Amino acid sequence: MQRFVREPLVHFLLLALLVFGAYGLVSRREPATATIDVTQAKIEQLAGLFAKTWQRPPTAQELKGLIDDYVKEDIYVREALRLGLDTDDEVIRKRLRMKMEFVSDAEAEATPPTDIQLQAYMDAHPEAFRKPPQIAFEQVYINPDKHSPDASAAATALLEPLRKDASYAATAGDPSLLPPSLPLTDQQGIAQIFGDDFAAAIITLAPGEWEGPVSSAVGLHLVKVTDRAPGILPALGDIRPAVEREWMNDHRNAVEQQRFDDLLKRYKVTVEPISADGSPPP
């Protein structure tokens, strides 16, 4: 008898009997049936999503298929939760986090900002809405390939006649696809056409006189600034949509952070020490 008790196979069979017995007890405690209510509101939602996708309402047979699929999905979801299949699932965790963030977004967007709030935000962040300085100018292009080996000297030689005769600019220089003049434009707009180096060089030039040569990615230029507009902070009414968009972004982040801080108070967070090289401890 003692030899029989010491047999590993006997131990295994006893353990199996205990597991099946426990499962039977748990199963008997579970309700025999659960209720799935497919309400009229849910049916209308399913039909609406179908119509939005296919640009027509579902037929009776299609609607029955939508309802059957919803019931199937609900059963699978309930059973997956009962079996704990959602535990430590990264995809589910990320989706749940997104839903919590959507709740915060909805809370933040529930009340639109007033003009007083937007003006205060604009006053606190003037550089985010200030229009940059602008200049208008004319330019004469000098092609380095046509004036080798000293295109700079060739460009400089044109300065004097340009300064003496305003009409000379129409015929001076070399052919180019670049515009001979630009209206009031900020530095970024100029850079999109002539390049960053050219835009940075001419944005500081005083108006009224031909200057140069100024280098660009395609060659040399003689430049005459004809007008200049300083950077200004527009009135709220002129840029309200932009201010409201930035205010809403900051407000949404603040609401989400406050909501998270409130939730964090319900938890005690412990973090194991990290070694000097950043790896977790053994």
Side-chain angles (χ1 to χ4, degrees), residues 201-246:
I202 73 163
I203 200 72
T204 60
L205 295 180
E209 191 72 87
W210 283 98
E211 304 285 353
V214 178
S215 297
S216 75
V218 296
L220 300 176
H221 306 262
L222 300 175
V223 181
K224 179 182 178 181
V225 175
T226 56
D227 197 6
R228 177 179 291 278
I232 60 169
L233 185 62
L236 173 61
D238 295 334
I239 56 170
R240 194 182 195 282
V243 179
E244 184 172 358
R245 181 175 60 251
E246 295 303 316

Side-chain angles (χ1 to χ4, degrees), residues 77 81 84-105 256 259-260 263 267:
V77 168
L81 292 174
L85 300 184
D86 58 316
T87 304
D88 293 330
D89 187 305
E90 287 301 317
V91 175
I92 293 177
R93 287 171 61 89
K94 290 184 184 299
R95 290 286 295 175
L96 292 175
R97 173 178 173 171
M98 286 175 60
K99 286 197 169 187
M100 289 296 294
E101 290 173 348
F102 288 154
V103 170
S104 295
D105 290 349
E256 181 181 340
R259 188 180 184 87
F260 175 74
L263 292 173
Y267 297 85

